[in-house]
């Protein structure tokens, strides 16, 4: 029997865009052929897709890395690199995808959202054929492909049901579910908890049916992590209504009033909004009470909860007493609520959030080396695709530093004329208001494709 897993953490990475190519036509009767470097292919996307044939995250239980295919580099003779294949990750309906670090929601794979591109592959870079101008007919640089996007994500399965059954273990929830729906849970006298949420469809004559979920039994302290209950509290968040099952006959020696208060307290500690959901109480096992529905404990429960708007039904899953009335009440109440199950809004936008990280840079003074240092992912990438030996490339480099406020940051650090600036193996002398910044140390190939 497959293990039910409703939480997993995985690493995902889209494909890198292929690099543009640098090459020139070399034909027998065309001694000075123009640039013909082709474009790189687009990297593959990471796509999450709902598969209604699965209902657990067991495939992701041990984590793992999921990577889309990189785009191929461009080639000579204007040949375009092949696009990388997308990677489709199938998840059960109701899976919420979160950024693992911040806990913010990226996507809720439920409702109409059955397919979502979570990480886009990098664009392919332009080949050098795009950069020929009247003044530069033999460009010796091409654009690199955009880098891959990568992210660690948390997958959480939150079942989609109209009604949640809550209560302590062994109060009769599994038996209740088996009596009222098509679900066939294992039923035994366990003092622990059902190991996974069990869904069932309730069909009624002349009334609208609904989906009910047996939320694994809670115990006091679940919201703080005691027992297994806290692992399943998330499944209650989607429900529109709750049936609170309590052992009115105290067959385990427990006080039903205390049980009701303890469970409500756990729900409130986990998420106060849950306690605002409509509730109904199934005071169960009345077949084991000598006075049945007229027992003192039933009266006490009604006296406390019905003035609060919580309807109380005396039920017996053994004889069926009170069950039908409860189900029709739930159906009517759901029609009045007329709300769709909770769908979690997107809070984390990978394309923007990861771009912000890449855009970050730092400028500081290294007193040991007596140099000013510029670092950051965007700086490193810029140096990777800029040919500093060409006049046009160096002008682009100067403009990049100015446009991104890096020159201003150097001035704030009181940099002086002729001071050394270092970034990723390159060293420069700094001159104010100069058209160019002299380069002391450049070691970069022009990558011209010779044949």
């Amino acid at each position: 029997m497959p293990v039910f897993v409703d939480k997993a953490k995985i690493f995902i990475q889209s494909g890198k865009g292929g690099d543009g190519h640098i090459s020139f036509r070399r034909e027998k009767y065309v001694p000075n052929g123009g640039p013909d470097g082709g474009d790189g292919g687009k990297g593959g996307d990471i796509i999450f897709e709902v598969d209604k044939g699965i209902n657990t995250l067991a495939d992701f239980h041990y984590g793992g890395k999921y990577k889309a295919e990189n785009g191929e580099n461009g080639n000579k003779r204007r040949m375009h690199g092949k696009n990388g294949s997308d990677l489709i990750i199938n998840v059960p309906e109701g899976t919420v995808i979160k950024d693992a670090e911040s806990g913010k929601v990226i996507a809720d794979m439920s409702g109409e959202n059955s397919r979502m591109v979570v990480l886009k592959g990098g664009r392919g870079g332009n080949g050098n054929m795009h950069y020929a101008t009247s003044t530069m007919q033999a460009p010796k640089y091409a654009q690199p492909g955009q880098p891959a996007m990568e992210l660690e994500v948390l997958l959480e399965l939150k079942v989609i049901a109209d009604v949640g059954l809550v209560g302590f273990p062994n109060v009769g929830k599994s038996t209740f579910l088996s009596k009222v729906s098509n679900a066939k849970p294992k039923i035994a006298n366990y003092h622990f908890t059902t190991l996974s949420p069990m869904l069932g469809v309730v069909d009624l004559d002349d009334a609208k049916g609904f989906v009910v979920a047996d939320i694994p039994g809670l115990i006091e302290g679940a919201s703080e992590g005691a027992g297994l209950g806290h692992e399943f509290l998330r499944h209650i968040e989607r429900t529109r209504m709750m049936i609170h099952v309590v052992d009115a006959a105290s067959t385990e020696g427990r006080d039903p009033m205390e049980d009701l208060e303890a469970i409500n307290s756990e729900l409130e500690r986990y998420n106060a909004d849950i306690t605002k959901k409509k509730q109904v109480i199934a005071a169960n096992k009345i077949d084991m009470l000598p006075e049945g529905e007229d027992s003192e404990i039933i009266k006490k429960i009604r006296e406390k909860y019905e003035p609060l708007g919580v309807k109380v039904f005396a039920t017996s899953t053994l004889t069926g007493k009170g069950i039908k009335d409860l189900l029709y009440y739930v159906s009517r109440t759901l029609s009045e609520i007329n709300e769709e199950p909770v769908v979690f809004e997107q809070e984390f936008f990978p394309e923007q959030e990861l771009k912000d990280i890449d855009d970050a840079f730092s400028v500081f003074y290294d007193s040991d080396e007596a140099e000013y240092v510029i670092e950051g992912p965007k700086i490193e990438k810029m140096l990777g695709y800029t040919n500093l030996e060409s006049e046009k490339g160096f002008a682009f480099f100067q403009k990049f530093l100015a446009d991104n406020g890096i020159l201003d940051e150097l001035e704030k650090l009181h940099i002086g004329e002729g001071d050394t600036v270092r970034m990723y193996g390159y060293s420069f002398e700094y001159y104010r208001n100069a058209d160019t910044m002299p380069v002391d140390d450049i070691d970069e190939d022009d990558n011209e494709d010779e044949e």
Side-chain angles (χ1 to χ4, degrees):
M1 181 178 177
V3 176
F4 179 82
V5 177
D6 66 350
K7 195 173 184 180
K9 189 183 288 186
I10 62 173
F11 176 87
I12 57 176
Q13 184 181 82
S14 63
K16 175 191 176 298
D19 295 336
H21 191 68
I22 301 172
S23 60
F24 299 88
R25 288 175 60 197
R26 293 290 185 268
E27 297 176 23
K28 189 171 183 181
Y29 300 107
V30 188
N32 296 311
D36 70 349
D39 302 338
K42 176 186 174 298
D45 298 334
I46 293 287
I47 301 171
F48 281 81
E49 196 167 272
V50 169
D51 182 345
K52 294 191 176 181
I54 55 178
N55 58 9
T56 173
L57 296 173
D59 289 346
F60 310 101
H61 188 42
Y62 298 104
K65 296 183 177 181
Y66 295 80
K67 297 182 179 181
E69 191 176 34
N70 292 335
E72 290 186 355
N73 295 336
N75 213 325
K76 54 192 174 186
R77 298 188 179 92
R78 299 178 174 247
M79 291 182 64
H80 193 291
K82 180 184 174 184
N83 292 339
S85 298
D86 298 332
L87 178 64
I88 296 177
I89 301 174
N90 291 314
V91 293
E93 187 174 18
T95 300
V96 179
I97 305 164
K98 297 181 177 180
D99 169 49
E101 183 177 351
S102 67
K104 292 181 178 179
V105 174
I106 299 171
D108 184 349
M109 306 304 294
S110 61
E112 296 180 359
N113 189 30
S114 61
R115 190 176 193 273
M116 182 167 178
V117 177
V118 172
L119 293 183
K120 291 183 178 179
R123 288 198 307 270
N126 290 330
N128 71 330
M129 65 180 179
H130 292 278
Y131 298 108
T133 66
S134 59
T135 57
M136 183 179 292
Q137 297 183 14
K140 296 180 180 180
Y141 54 87
Q143 186 183 35
Q146 279 189 333
M149 298 173 71
E150 57 185 47
L151 195 63
E152 189 174 40
V153 296
L154 181 66
L155 307 179
E156 289 187 352
L157 177 58
K158 298 174 189 279
V159 298
I160 299 174
D162 300 300
V163 179
L165 285 180
V166 296
F168 275 83
N170 206 32
V171 296
K173 292 191 290 102
S174 295
T175 306
F176 180 93
L177 185 65
S178 70
K179 293 284 187 181
V180 305
S181 75
N182 59 355
K184 302 298 178 189
K186 289 186 176 180
I187 300 167
N189 186 26
Y190 296 128
H191 288 77
F192 298 98
T193 177
T194 308
L195 294 180
S196 64
M198 181 69 69
L199 293 178
V201 178
V202 177
D203 291 317
L204 299 172
D205 294 330
D206 305 320
K208 188 176 181 181
F210 52 87
V211 179
V212 61
D214 176 8
I215 307 299
L218 304 179
I219 62 173
E220 197 164 2
S223 60
E224 277 79 44
L228 293 175
H230 74 291
E231 289 294 331
F232 301 102
L233 279 164
R234 70 178 68 91
H235 296 294
I236 304 173
E237 293 181 88
R238 285 203 199 272
T239 61
R240 296 189 284 154
M241 186 176 178
M242 286 183 289
I243 299 175
H244 200 143
V245 185
V246 65
D247 178 3
S250 300
T251 58
E252 302 270 319
R254 304 177 58 84
D255 184 333
M257 298 295 288
E258 290 180 1
D259 280 4
L260 287 165
E261 290 197 20
I263 294 296
N264 280 326
S265 177
E266 290 307 309
L267 295 175
E268 185 168 18
R269 275 198 284 269
Y270 176 73
N271 183 343
D273 288 338
I274 290 177
T275 57
K276 298 174 185 176
K277 294 179 186 290
K278 190 74 175 177
Q279 284 193 40
V280 58
I281 294 174
N284 199 29
K285 302 189 181 181
I286 61 168
D287 55 280
M288 303 186 73
L289 291 170
E291 302 86 358
E293 188 172 352
D294 297 324
S295 297
E296 190 64 31
I297 185 61
I298 302 296
K299 292 177 183 177
K300 284 177 68 176
I301 295 173
R302 282 180 170 147
E303 286 172 1
K304 176 167 184 179
Y305 286 96
E306 291 201 336
L308 301 176
V310 180
K311 184 75 172 171
V312 179
F313 289 86
T315 63
S316 167
T317 51
L318 182 66
T319 67
K321 174 73 174 177
I323 300 291
K324 187 175 181 180
D325 291 340
L326 184 151
L327 296 178
Y328 276 93
Y329 173 81
V330 169
S331 178
R332 289 194 305 273
T333 304
L334 288 171
S335 298
E336 293 166 3
I337 295 172
N338 197 28
E339 293 176 356
E340 294 299 319
V342 174
V343 175
F344 297 92
E345 296 293 329
Q346 185 171 7
E347 304 168 317
F348 186 96
F349 299 83
E351 198 167 1
Q352 182 57 49
E353 301 276 357
L354 298 178
K355 178 180 181 296
D356 290 344
I357 294 172
D358 286 348
D359 284 351
F361 65 85
S362 60
V363 181
F364 60 93
Y365 182 68
D366 182 349
S367 56
D368 292 337
E369 299 293 333
E371 293 178 337
Y372 292 83
V373 181
I374 303 172
E375 292 180 346
K378 191 172 182 179
I379 311 296
E380 190 172 17
K381 288 175 192 172
M382 180 274 300
L383 289 171
Y385 62 71
T386 305
N387 181 3
L388 297 179
E389 289 189 336
S390 75
E391 184 176 345
K392 188 175 180 180
F394 199 77
F396 168 80
F397 165 69
Q398 290 276 94
K399 187 174 186 300
F400 174 90
L401 295 180
D403 290 348
N404 286 274
I406 296 170
L407 298 183
D408 291 338
E409 292 298 317
L410 289 170
E411 288 292 333
K412 288 178 184 177
L413 294 175
H414 307 295
I415 192 169
E417 294 275 348
D419 284 346
T420 301
V421 178
R422 185 179 80 238
M423 56 183 89
Y424 296 101
Y426 294 98
S427 295
F428 309 90
E429 287 185 8
Y430 185 79
Y431 292 94
R432 289 187 185 87
N433 302 321
D435 291 333
T436 58
M437 187 185 295
V439 183
D440 288 344
D441 177 26
I442 289 183
D443 182 16
E444 181 176 276
D445 295 331
D446 62 11
N447 296 320
E448 182 172 352
D449 192 30
E450 297 291 350
E451 290 191 21

